[in-house]
Coordinates of all heavy atoms in Angstrom, one line a residue:
M1 N -74.1 -43.9 45.9 CA -73.5 -45.3 45.8 C -72.1 -45.3 45.5 O -71.4 -46.1 46.1 CB -74.3 -46.0 44.7 CG -73.9 -47.5 44.4 SD -74.3 -48.4 45.9 CE -74.2 -50.1 45.3
H2 N -71.6 -44.4 44.6 CA -70.1 -44.4 44.3 C -69.3 -43.9 45.6 O -68.2 -44.4 45.8 CB -69.8 -43.5 43.2 CG -70.5 -44.0 41.9 ND1 -70.1 -45.2 41.3 CD2 -71.4 -43.5 41.0 CE1 -70.6 -45.5 40.2 NE2 -71.6 -44.4 40.0
I3 N -69.8 -43.0 46.3 CA -69.2 -42.6 47.5 C -69.0 -43.8 48.4 O -67.9 -43.9 49.0 CB -70.0 -41.4 48.2 CG1 -70.0 -40.2 47.4 CG2 -69.5 -41.2 49.6 CD1 -71.0 -39.1 47.9
R4 N -70.0 -44.5 48.6 CA -69.9 -45.7 49.5 C -68.9 -46.7 49.0 O -68.1 -47.2 49.7 CB -71.3 -46.3 49.6 CG -71.4 -47.4 50.6 CD -72.8 -47.6 51.1 NE -73.0 -48.6 52.1 CZ -72.6 -48.5 53.3 NH1 -72.2 -47.4 53.7 NH2 -72.8 -49.5 54.1
R5 N -68.9 -46.9 47.7 CA -68.1 -47.9 47.0 C -66.6 -47.5 47.2 O -65.7 -48.2 47.7 CB -68.4 -48.1 45.6 CG -67.6 -49.2 44.9 CD -68.1 -49.5 43.5 NE -69.4 -50.0 43.6 CZ -70.3 -49.9 42.6 NH1 -70.0 -49.4 41.5 NH2 -71.5 -50.4 42.7
V6 N -66.3 -46.2 46.9 CA -64.9 -45.7 47.0 C -64.5 -45.7 48.5 O -63.4 -46.1 48.8 CB -64.8 -44.3 46.3 CG1 -63.5 -43.7 46.6 CG2 -65.0 -44.4 44.9
G7 N -65.4 -45.1 49.3 CA -65.0 -45.1 50.7 C -64.8 -46.4 51.5 O -63.8 -46.5 52.2
L8 N -65.6 -47.4 51.1 CA -65.4 -48.7 51.7 C -64.1 -49.4 51.2 O -63.6 -50.2 51.9 CB -66.7 -49.6 51.5 CG -67.9 -49.1 52.3 CD1 -69.1 -50.0 51.9 CD2 -67.6 -49.1 53.8
F9 N -63.8 -49.2 49.9 CA -62.6 -49.7 49.3 C -61.4 -49.2 50.2 O -60.5 -50.0 50.7 CB -62.4 -49.2 47.9 CG -61.0 -49.5 47.4 CD1 -60.6 -50.8 47.0 CD2 -60.1 -48.5 47.2 CE1 -59.3 -51.1 46.6 CE2 -58.8 -48.7 46.8 CZ -58.4 -50.0 46.4
Y10 N -61.3 -47.9 50.5 CA -60.2 -47.3 51.2 C -60.4 -47.7 52.7 O -59.3 -47.9 53.4 CB -60.1 -45.8 51.1 CG -59.5 -45.4 49.8 CD1 -60.2 -44.6 48.9 CD2 -58.2 -45.7 49.5 CE1 -59.6 -44.2 47.7 CE2 -57.6 -45.3 48.3 CZ -58.4 -44.5 47.4 OH -57.8 -44.2 46.2
D11 N -61.5 -47.8 53.2 CA -61.7 -48.3 54.5 C -61.2 -49.7 54.8 O -60.5 -50.1 55.7 CB -63.3 -48.2 55.0 CG -63.5 -48.2 56.4 OD1 -62.9 -47.4 57.1 OD2 -64.2 -49.1 56.9
D12 N -61.5 -50.6 53.8 CA -61.0 -51.9 53.9 C -59.5 -52.0 53.8 O -58.9 -52.8 54.6 CB -61.6 -52.8 52.8 CG -63.0 -53.2 53.1 OD1 -63.5 -53.1 54.2 OD2 -63.7 -53.6 52.1
I13 N -58.9 -51.2 53.0 CA -57.4 -51.2 53.0 C -56.9 -50.6 54.2 O -55.9 -51.1 54.7 CB -56.9 -50.3 51.7 CG1 -57.3 -51.0 50.4 CG2 -55.4 -50.0 51.8 CD1 -57.0 -50.2 49.1
G14 N -57.6 -49.6 54.8 CA -57.1 -49.0 56.0 C -57.2 -50.0 57.2 O -56.3 -50.0 58.1
K15 N -58.1 -50.9 57.2 CA -58.2 -51.9 58.2 C -57.0 -52.9 58.1 O -56.4 -53.2 59.1 CB -59.5 -52.9 58.0 CG -60.7 -52.2 58.4 CD -61.9 -53.0 57.9 CE -63.2 -52.2 58.0 NZ -64.3 -52.8 57.2
L16 N -56.6 -53.3 56.9 CA -55.5 -54.1 56.8 C -54.2 -53.4 57.3 O -53.3 -54.1 57.9 CB -55.3 -54.5 55.3 CG -56.5 -55.3 54.7 CD1 -56.3 -55.5 53.3 CD2 -56.7 -56.7 55.4
V17 N -54.1 -52.1 57.0 CA -52.8 -51.4 57.4 C -52.9 -51.2 58.9 O -51.9 -51.5 59.6 CB -52.8 -50.0 56.7 CG1 -51.7 -49.1 57.3 CG2 -52.5 -50.2 55.2
A18 N -54.1 -50.8 59.5 CA -54.1 -50.5 60.9 C -53.9 -51.7 61.8 O -53.3 -51.6 62.9 CB -55.5 -49.9 61.2
H19 N -54.2 -52.8 61.3 CA -54.0 -54.1 62.0 C -52.8 -54.9 61.7 O -52.5 -56.0 62.1 CB -55.3 -55.0 61.9 CG -56.5 -54.4 62.6 ND1 -56.7 -54.4 63.9 CD2 -57.5 -53.8 62.0 CE1 -57.8 -53.8 64.2 NE2 -58.4 -53.4 63.1
G20 N -51.9 -54.2 60.9 CA -50.6 -54.8 60.6 C -50.6 -56.0 59.7 O -49.7 -56.7 59.6
I21 N -51.7 -56.1 59.0 CA -51.8 -57.3 58.0 C -51.1 -57.0 56.7 O -50.4 -57.8 56.1 CB -53.2 -57.7 57.8 CG1 -53.9 -58.1 59.1 CG2 -53.5 -58.7 56.7 CD1 -55.4 -58.2 59.0
V22 N -51.1 -55.7 56.3 CA -50.4 -55.3 55.2 C -49.5 -54.1 55.5 O -50.0 -53.3 56.3 CB -51.4 -54.8 54.0 CG1 -50.7 -54.2 52.8 CG2 -52.3 -55.9 53.6
D23 N -48.3 -54.1 55.0 CA -47.3 -53.1 55.3 C -47.8 -51.7 54.8 O -48.2 -51.6 53.6 CB -46.0 -53.4 54.7 CG -44.9 -52.5 55.2 OD1 -45.1 -51.2 55.3 OD2 -43.8 -53.0 55.4
E24 N -47.9 -50.8 55.7 CA -48.3 -49.4 55.4 C -47.6 -48.9 54.1 O -48.2 -48.2 53.2 CB -48.1 -48.5 56.6 CG -48.4 -47.0 56.3 CD -48.1 -46.2 57.6 OE1 -48.5 -46.6 58.7 OE2 -47.5 -45.2 57.5
R25 N -46.3 -49.2 54.0 CA -45.5 -48.6 52.8 C -46.0 -49.2 51.6 O -46.0 -48.4 50.5 CB -44.0 -48.9 53.1 CG -43.4 -48.2 54.3 CD -42.1 -48.8 54.6 NE -42.2 -50.2 55.0 CZ -41.2 -51.0 55.3 NH1 -40.0 -50.6 55.2 NH2 -41.4 -52.2 55.6
L26 N -46.5 -50.4 51.5 CA -47.0 -51.0 50.3 C -48.2 -50.2 49.8 O -48.4 -49.9 48.6 CB -47.3 -52.5 50.5 CG -48.0 -53.2 49.4 CD1 -46.9 -53.3 48.2 CD2 -48.4 -54.6 49.8
I27 N -49.2 -50.0 50.7 CA -50.4 -49.3 50.3 C -50.1 -47.8 50.0 O -50.6 -47.4 49.0 CB -51.4 -49.4 51.5 CG1 -51.8 -50.9 51.7 CG2 -52.7 -48.6 51.2 CD1 -52.4 -51.6 50.5
L28 N -49.4 -47.1 50.8 CA -49.2 -45.7 50.6 C -48.2 -45.6 49.3 O -48.4 -44.5 48.7 CB -48.5 -45.1 51.8 CG -49.4 -45.1 53.1 CD1 -48.7 -44.4 54.2 CD2 -50.8 -44.6 52.8
G29 N -47.3 -46.5 49.0 CA -46.6 -46.4 47.8 C -47.4 -46.6 46.6 O -47.1 -46.1 45.5
A30 N -48.5 -47.3 46.7 CA -49.4 -47.5 45.5 C -50.6 -46.5 45.4 O -50.8 -46.1 44.3 CB -50.0 -49.0 45.6
Y31 N -51.1 -46.1 46.5 CA -52.3 -45.2 46.6 C -52.2 -44.0 47.2 O -53.0 -43.1 47.2 CB -53.5 -46.0 47.2 CG -53.9 -47.3 46.5 CD1 -53.5 -48.5 47.1 CD2 -54.6 -47.3 45.4 CE1 -53.8 -49.7 46.6 CE2 -55.0 -48.5 44.8 CZ -54.6 -49.7 45.4 OH -55.0 -50.9 44.8
G32 N -51.0 -43.7 47.9 CA -50.9 -42.7 48.8 C -51.2 -41.3 48.4 O -51.9 -40.6 49.2
D33 N -50.9 -40.8 47.2 CA -51.2 -39.5 46.8 C -52.7 -39.3 46.6 O -53.2 -38.1 46.8 CB -50.5 -39.1 45.6 CG -48.9 -39.0 45.7 OD1 -48.5 -38.9 46.9 OD2 -48.2 -38.9 44.8
A34 N -53.4 -40.3 46.3 CA -54.8 -40.2 46.1 C -55.7 -40.2 47.4 O -56.8 -39.6 47.4 CB -55.4 -41.3 45.1
I35 N -55.2 -40.8 48.4 CA -55.9 -41.0 49.6 C -56.3 -39.7 50.3 O -57.5 -39.6 50.6 CB -55.2 -42.0 50.6 CG1 -55.1 -43.4 49.9 CG2 -55.9 -42.1 51.9 CD1 -54.1 -44.3 50.6
P36 N -55.4 -38.8 50.6 CA -55.8 -37.6 51.4 C -56.9 -36.7 50.6 O -57.9 -36.3 51.2 CB -54.6 -36.8 51.6 CG -53.5 -37.9 51.5 CD -54.0 -38.8 50.5
G37 N -56.7 -36.6 49.3 CA -57.7 -35.9 48.5 C -59.0 -36.5 48.4 O -60.1 -35.9 48.4
T38 N -59.0 -37.8 48.3 CA -60.3 -38.6 48.3 C -61.0 -38.4 49.6 O -62.2 -38.2 49.6 CB -60.1 -40.1 47.9 OG1 -59.3 -40.1 46.7 CG2 -61.3 -40.8 47.8
W39 N -60.3 -38.6 50.7 CA -60.8 -38.4 52.0 C -61.4 -36.9 52.1 O -62.6 -36.8 52.6 CB -59.8 -38.6 53.2 CG -60.4 -38.2 54.5 CD1 -60.0 -37.0 55.2 CD2 -61.4 -38.8 55.3 NE1 -60.8 -36.9 56.3 CE2 -61.7 -38.0 56.4 CE3 -62.1 -40.0 55.1 CZ2 -62.6 -38.3 57.3 CZ3 -63.0 -40.3 56.0 CH2 -63.3 -39.5 57.2
D40 N -60.6 -35.9 51.8 CA -61.1 -34.6 51.9 C -62.4 -34.3 51.0 O -63.3 -33.6 51.5 CB -60.1 -33.6 51.4 CG -58.9 -33.6 52.4 OD1 -59.0 -34.0 53.5 OD2 -57.8 -33.0 51.9
T41 N -62.5 -35.0 50.0 CA -63.7 -34.9 49.1 C -64.9 -35.6 49.7 O -66.0 -35.1 49.7 CB -63.5 -35.5 47.7 OG1 -62.4 -34.7 47.1 CG2 -64.7 -35.4 46.8
L42 N -64.7 -36.8 50.3 CA -65.8 -37.6 50.8 C -66.1 -37.4 52.2 O -67.2 -37.7 52.7 CB -65.5 -39.1 50.6 CG -65.3 -39.6 49.2 CD1 -65.0 -41.0 49.1 CD2 -66.5 -39.1 48.3
A43 N -65.2 -36.7 53.0 CA -65.4 -36.5 54.4 C -66.6 -35.9 54.8 O -67.3 -36.2 55.8 CB -64.1 -35.8 55.0
P44 N -67.1 -34.8 54.1 CA -68.3 -34.2 54.6 C -69.5 -35.2 54.5 O -70.4 -35.2 55.4 CB -68.5 -33.0 53.6 CG -67.2 -32.7 53.1 CD -66.5 -34.0 53.1
Y45 N -69.5 -36.0 53.5 CA -70.6 -37.0 53.4 C -70.5 -38.1 54.5 O -71.5 -38.5 55.1 CB -70.6 -37.7 52.0 CG -70.7 -36.6 50.9 CD1 -69.6 -36.2 50.2 CD2 -72.0 -36.0 50.6 CE1 -69.7 -35.2 49.2 CE2 -72.1 -35.1 49.6 CZ -71.0 -34.7 48.9 OH -71.0 -33.7 48.0
I46 N -69.3 -38.6 54.7 CA -68.9 -39.6 55.7 C -69.3 -39.0 57.1 O -70.0 -39.7 57.9 CB -67.5 -40.1 55.6 CG1 -67.3 -40.7 54.3 CG2 -67.1 -41.0 56.8 CD1 -65.9 -41.0 54.0
C47 N -68.9 -37.8 57.3 CA -69.2 -37.2 58.7 C -70.7 -37.1 58.9 O -71.2 -37.1 60.0 CB -68.5 -35.9 58.8 SG -66.7 -36.2 59.0
A48 N -71.5 -36.7 57.8 CA -72.9 -36.6 57.9 C -73.5 -37.9 58.3 O -74.5 -38.0 59.1 CB -73.4 -36.0 56.6
E49 N -73.0 -39.0 57.6 CA -73.5 -40.3 57.9 C -73.2 -40.7 59.4 O -74.0 -41.3 60.1 CB -72.9 -41.3 56.9 CG -73.5 -41.3 55.6 CD -74.9 -41.9 55.6 OE1 -75.2 -42.9 56.2 OE2 -75.7 -41.1 55.1
R50 N -71.9 -40.4 59.8 CA -71.6 -40.7 61.2 C -72.6 -40.0 62.2 O -73.0 -40.6 63.1 CB -70.2 -40.2 61.6 CG -69.1 -41.0 60.9 CD -67.8 -40.4 61.2 NE -66.7 -41.2 60.6 CZ -65.4 -40.8 60.7 NH1 -65.1 -39.7 61.4 NH2 -64.5 -41.5 60.2
E51 N -72.9 -38.8 61.9 CA -73.8 -38.0 62.8 C -75.2 -38.6 62.7 O -75.9 -38.7 63.8 CB -73.8 -36.5 62.4 CG -74.5 -35.7 63.4 CD -74.3 -34.2 63.2 OE1 -73.2 -33.8 63.0 OE2 -75.3 -33.5 63.2
K52 N -75.7 -38.9 61.5 CA -77.0 -39.4 61.3 C -77.2 -40.7 62.0 O -78.2 -41.0 62.7 CB -77.3 -39.5 59.9 CG -78.7 -40.1 59.5 CD -78.8 -40.2 58.0 CE -80.2 -40.8 57.7 NZ -80.4 -40.9 56.2
H53 N -76.2 -41.6 62.0 CA -76.3 -43.0 62.5 C -75.6 -43.1 63.8 O -75.6 -44.2 64.3 CB -75.8 -44.0 61.5 CG -76.6 -44.0 60.2 ND1 -77.9 -44.4 60.1 CD2 -76.2 -43.5 58.9 CE1 -78.3 -44.3 58.9 NE2 -77.4 -43.8 58.1
R54 N -74.9 -42.1 64.2 CA -74.1 -42.0 65.5 C -73.2 -43.2 65.6 O -73.3 -44.1 66.5 CB -75.1 -42.1 66.7 CG -76.0 -40.9 66.8 CD -76.9 -40.9 68.0 NE -77.9 -39.9 68.0 CZ -77.7 -38.7 68.6 NH1 -76.6 -38.5 69.2 NH2 -78.6 -37.8 68.5
N55 N -72.4 -43.3 64.6 CA -71.3 -44.4 64.6 C -70.0 -43.8 64.0 O -69.8 -42.6 63.8 CB -71.8 -45.5 63.6 CG -72.0 -45.2 62.2 OD1 -71.4 -44.2 61.7 ND2 -72.8 -45.8 61.5
L56 N -69.0 -44.6 63.8 CA -67.7 -44.2 63.3 C -67.5 -44.8 62.0 O -66.4 -45.4 61.7 CB -66.6 -44.7 64.3 CG -66.6 -43.8 65.7 CD1 -65.5 -44.4 66.6 CD2 -66.3 -42.4 65.4
S57 N -68.4 -44.7 61.1 CA -68.3 -45.2 59.8 C -67.0 -44.8 59.1 O -66.7 -43.5 59.2 CB -69.6 -45.0 59.0 OG -69.5 -44.2 58.0
M58 N -66.3 -45.6 58.5 CA -65.1 -45.4 57.6 C -64.0 -44.8 58.5 O -63.2 -44.0 58.0 CB -65.5 -44.5 56.4 CG -66.4 -45.3 55.6 SD -66.5 -44.6 53.9 CE -68.1 -45.2 53.4
V59 N -63.9 -45.1 59.7 CA -62.8 -44.6 60.6 C -61.4 -45.1 60.2 O -60.5 -44.4 60.3 CB -63.1 -45.0 62.1 CG1 -63.0 -46.5 62.4 CG2 -62.2 -44.2 63.0
Y60 N -61.4 -46.3 59.5 CA -60.1 -46.8 59.0 C -59.7 -45.9 57.8 O -58.5 -45.8 57.6 CB -60.2 -48.3 58.6 CG -60.3 -49.1 59.8 CD1 -61.6 -49.7 60.2 CD2 -59.2 -49.5 60.6 CE1 -61.6 -50.5 61.3 CE2 -59.3 -50.3 61.7 CZ -60.5 -50.8 62.0 OH -60.7 -51.7 63.2
F61 N -60.7 -45.5 57.0 CA -60.3 -44.7 55.8 C -59.7 -43.4 56.3 O -58.7 -42.9 55.9 CB -61.6 -44.5 55.0 CG -61.5 -43.5 53.8 CD1 -60.2 -43.2 53.3 CD2 -62.6 -43.1 53.2 CE1 -60.2 -42.3 52.1 CE2 -62.5 -42.3 52.1 CZ -61.4 -41.9 51.6
E62 N -60.4 -42.8 57.4 CA -59.8 -41.6 58.0 C -58.4 -41.7 58.5 O -57.5 -40.9 58.3 CB -60.7 -41.1 59.1 CG -60.3 -39.8 59.7 CD -61.4 -39.3 60.7 OE1 -62.3 -40.1 61.1 OE2 -61.3 -38.0 61.0
D63 N -58.2 -42.9 59.2 CA -56.8 -43.1 59.7 C -55.8 -43.3 58.5 O -54.7 -42.7 58.6 CB -56.8 -44.4 60.5 CG -55.4 -44.8 61.0 OD1 -54.9 -44.1 61.9 OD2 -54.9 -45.7 60.5
L64 N -56.2 -44.0 57.5 CA -55.3 -44.1 56.3 C -55.0 -42.8 55.7 O -53.9 -42.6 55.3 CB -56.0 -45.0 55.3 CG -55.2 -45.5 54.1 CD1 -54.0 -46.4 54.6 CD2 -56.1 -46.3 53.2
A65 N -56.0 -41.9 55.7 CA -55.7 -40.6 55.1 C -54.7 -39.8 55.9 O -53.9 -39.1 55.4 CB -57.0 -39.8 55.0
H66 N -54.8 -39.9 57.2 CA -53.9 -39.3 58.1 C -52.5 -39.9 57.9 O -51.5 -39.1 57.8 CB -54.2 -39.6 59.6 CG -53.2 -39.1 60.6 ND1 -53.0 -37.8 60.9 CD2 -52.3 -39.8 61.3 CE1 -52.1 -37.6 61.7 NE2 -51.6 -38.9 62.0
R67 N -52.4 -41.2 57.7 CA -51.1 -41.8 57.5 C -50.4 -41.3 56.2 O -49.3 -41.0 56.1 CB -51.2 -43.4 57.5 CG -51.5 -43.9 58.8 CD -51.9 -45.4 58.6 NE -52.3 -46.0 59.9 CZ -51.6 -46.9 60.6 NH1 -50.4 -47.2 60.3 NH2 -52.2 -47.4 61.7
A68 N -51.3 -41.3 55.2 CA -50.9 -40.9 53.8 C -50.4 -39.4 53.8 O -49.5 -39.1 53.0 CB -52.0 -41.1 52.9
G69 N -51.0 -38.6 54.7 CA -50.6 -37.2 54.7 C -49.2 -37.0 55.4 O -48.6 -35.9 55.3
R70 N -48.6 -38.0 56.0 CA -47.3 -37.9 56.6 C -46.2 -38.1 55.6 O -45.0 -38.0 56.1 CB -47.2 -38.9 57.8 CG -48.2 -38.6 58.8 CD -47.9 -39.6 60.0 NE -47.7 -40.9 59.5 CZ -47.9 -42.0 60.2 NH1 -48.3 -42.0 61.4 NH2 -47.7 -43.2 59.6
T71 N -46.4 -38.6 54.4 CA -45.3 -39.0 53.4 C -45.8 -38.8 52.1 O -46.9 -38.4 51.9 CB -44.8 -40.4 53.7 OG1 -43.6 -40.7 53.0 CG2 -45.9 -41.5 53.4
T72 N -44.9 -39.0 51.1 CA -45.3 -39.0 49.7 C -44.9 -40.4 49.0 O -44.1 -41.1 49.5 CB -44.5 -37.9 49.0 OG1 -43.1 -38.3 49.0 CG2 -44.7 -36.6 49.6
M73 N -45.7 -40.7 48.0 CA -45.4 -41.8 47.2 C -44.0 -41.8 46.7 O -43.3 -42.8 46.8 CB -46.4 -42.0 46.1 CG -47.8 -42.2 46.4 SD -48.9 -42.2 45.0 CE -48.4 -43.7 44.1
Q74 N -43.5 -40.7 46.3 CA -42.1 -40.6 45.8 C -41.1 -40.9 46.9 O -40.1 -41.7 46.5 CB -41.8 -39.2 45.2 CG -42.7 -38.8 44.0 CD -44.1 -38.4 44.3 OE1 -44.6 -38.2 45.4 NE2 -44.9 -38.5 43.3
H75 N -41.3 -40.5 48.0 CA -40.4 -40.8 49.1 C -40.4 -42.3 49.3 O -39.3 -43.0 49.6 CB -40.8 -40.1 50.4 CG -40.0 -40.5 51.6 ND1 -38.7 -40.0 51.9 CD2 -40.3 -41.3 52.7 CE1 -38.2 -40.5 53.0 NE2 -39.2 -41.4 53.5
L76 N -41.5 -42.9 49.4 CA -41.7 -44.4 49.6 C -41.0 -45.2 48.4 O -40.4 -46.2 48.6 CB -43.1 -44.8 49.8 CG -43.7 -44.3 51.1 CD1 -45.2 -44.4 51.0 CD2 -43.1 -44.9 52.3
H77 N -41.1 -44.6 47.2 CA -40.6 -45.3 46.1 C -39.0 -45.3 46.1 O -38.3 -46.3 45.9 CB -41.0 -44.7 44.8 CG -42.5 -44.9 44.5 ND1 -43.2 -44.2 43.6 CD2 -43.4 -45.7 45.1 CE1 -44.4 -44.6 43.5 NE2 -44.6 -45.5 44.5
V78 N -38.5 -44.2 46.5 CA -37.0 -44.0 46.6 C -36.6 -44.9 47.8 O -35.5 -45.7 47.6 CB -36.6 -42.6 47.0 CG1 -35.2 -42.4 47.4 CG2 -36.9 -41.7 45.7
A79 N -37.3 -45.0 48.9 CA -36.9 -45.8 50.0 C -36.9 -47.3 49.7 O -36.1 -48.1 50.2 CB -37.8 -45.6 51.2
A80 N -37.8 -47.7 48.8 CA -37.9 -49.0 48.4 C -36.9 -49.4 47.3 O -36.8 -50.6 46.9 CB -39.3 -49.3 47.8
G81 N -36.2 -48.4 46.8 CA -35.2 -48.7 45.8 C -35.8 -48.9 44.3 O -35.1 -49.5 43.5
L82 N -37.0 -48.4 44.1 CA -37.5 -48.5 42.8 C -36.7 -47.8 41.8 O -36.2 -46.7 42.0 CB -39.0 -48.0 42.7 CG -40.0 -48.7 43.7 CD1 -41.3 -48.2 43.4 CD2 -39.9 -50.2 43.4
R83 N -36.5 -48.4 40.6 CA -35.7 -47.8 39.5 C -36.6 -47.7 38.2 O -37.6 -48.4 38.1 CB -34.5 -48.7 39.3 CG -33.6 -48.7 40.4 CD -32.5 -49.8 40.2 NE -32.9 -51.2 40.1 CZ -33.1 -52.0 41.2 NH1 -33.0 -51.6 42.3 NH2 -33.5 -53.2 41.0
A84 N -36.2 -46.8 37.4 CA -36.9 -46.6 36.2 C -36.3 -47.3 35.1 O -35.0 -47.5 35.0 CB -37.0 -45.1 35.9
R85 N -37.0 -47.6 34.0 CA -36.5 -48.2 32.8 C -37.2 -47.6 31.7 O -38.5 -47.9 31.5 CB -36.7 -49.8 32.8 CG -36.1 -50.3 31.5 CD -36.3 -51.8 31.4 NE -36.0 -52.2 30.0 CZ -35.6 -53.4 29.7 NH1 -35.4 -54.3 30.6 NH2 -35.4 -53.7 28.4
P86 N -36.5 -46.8 30.9 CA -37.2 -46.2 29.8 C -37.6 -47.2 28.7 O -37.0 -48.3 28.7 CB -36.1 -45.2 29.2 CG -35.0 -45.2 30.2 CD -35.1 -46.4 31.0
P87 N -38.6 -46.9 27.9 CA -39.0 -47.9 26.9 C -37.8 -48.1 25.9 O -37.1 -47.3 25.6 CB -40.2 -47.2 26.1 CG -40.5 -46.0 27.0 CD -39.4 -45.6 27.9
A88 N -37.8 -49.4 25.5 CA -36.8 -49.7 24.6 C -37.1 -49.1 23.2 O -38.3 -49.0 22.9 CB -36.7 -51.3 24.5
T89 N -36.0 -48.8 22.5 CA -36.2 -48.2 21.1 C -36.0 -49.4 20.1 O -35.1 -50.2 20.4 CB -35.3 -47.1 20.8 OG1 -33.9 -47.6 21.0 CG2 -35.5 -45.9 21.7
R90 N -36.7 -49.4 19.1 CA -36.5 -50.5 18.1 C -35.5 -50.1 17.1 O -35.4 -49.0 16.6 CB -37.9 -50.7 17.4 CG -38.9 -51.3 18.3 CD -40.2 -51.5 17.4 NE -41.2 -52.0 18.3 CZ -41.9 -53.1 18.0 NH1 -41.8 -53.7 16.9 NH2 -42.8 -53.5 18.9
A91 N -34.6 -51.1 16.9 CA -33.5 -50.9 15.9 C -34.1 -51.0 14.6 O -35.0 -51.8 14.3 CB -32.4 -51.9 16.1
R92 N -33.6 -50.2 13.6 CA -34.2 -50.2 12.2 C -33.1 -50.8 11.3 O -32.0 -50.8 11.4 CB -34.5 -48.8 11.8 CG -35.8 -48.4 12.5 CD -36.2 -47.0 12.0 NE -37.4 -46.6 12.8 CZ -38.4 -46.1 12.3 NH1 -38.5 -45.8 11.0 NH2 -39.4 -45.7 13.0

């Protein structure tokens, strides 16, 4: 059940990216580092389901994993101009 829930989450996000509804940089900047590893972990189960049912289940998740493997979250954060702000210290 958890495999399906996680896989379909990434598959749905992948649909939005593949069809240009959500900018790829936004998704990969937020989830990018986790996507390839999650795909690699779930791929054997997803591929077994594909073979069993003769379909392309979670193909958008697979595409998203491919896209995520081409860059890093850090690169996207720099490109977006994200800046850090250390926690404020309290005056005594």
Side-chain angles (χ1 to χ4, degrees):
M1 181 65 162
H2 296 296
I3 291 170
R4 188 161 180 74
R5 186 173 296 157
V6 171
L8 290 176
F9 169 75
Y10 284 118
D11 198 55
D12 284 344
I13 291 173
K15 288 173 192 164
L16 298 173
V17 169
H19 292 285
I21 296 167
V22 176
D23 190 318
E24 175 179 314
R25 296 169 297 180
L26 176 66
I27 298 303
L28 298 184
Y31 301 103
D33 290 349
I35 295 169
T38 304
W39 170 258
D40 291 343
T41 299
L42 300 183
Y45 303 101
I46 294 168
C47 292
E49 283 293 307
R50 287 179 180 176
E51 190 170 313
K52 179 179 178 182
H53 298 290
R54 298 182 187 265
N55 65 25
L56 289 176
S57 111
M58 300 194 201
V59 68
Y60 290 104
F61 179 14
E62 184 174 12
D63 177 71
L64 189 63
H66 173 77
R67 292 170 188 255
R70 297 182 317 199
T71 190
T72 66
M73 290 174 68
Q74 292 77 16
H75 175 77
L76 294 166
H77 294 167
V78 169
L82 298 184
R83 295 174 295 276
R85 178 182 169 154
T89 57
R90 293 184 180 226
R92 292 185 178 216

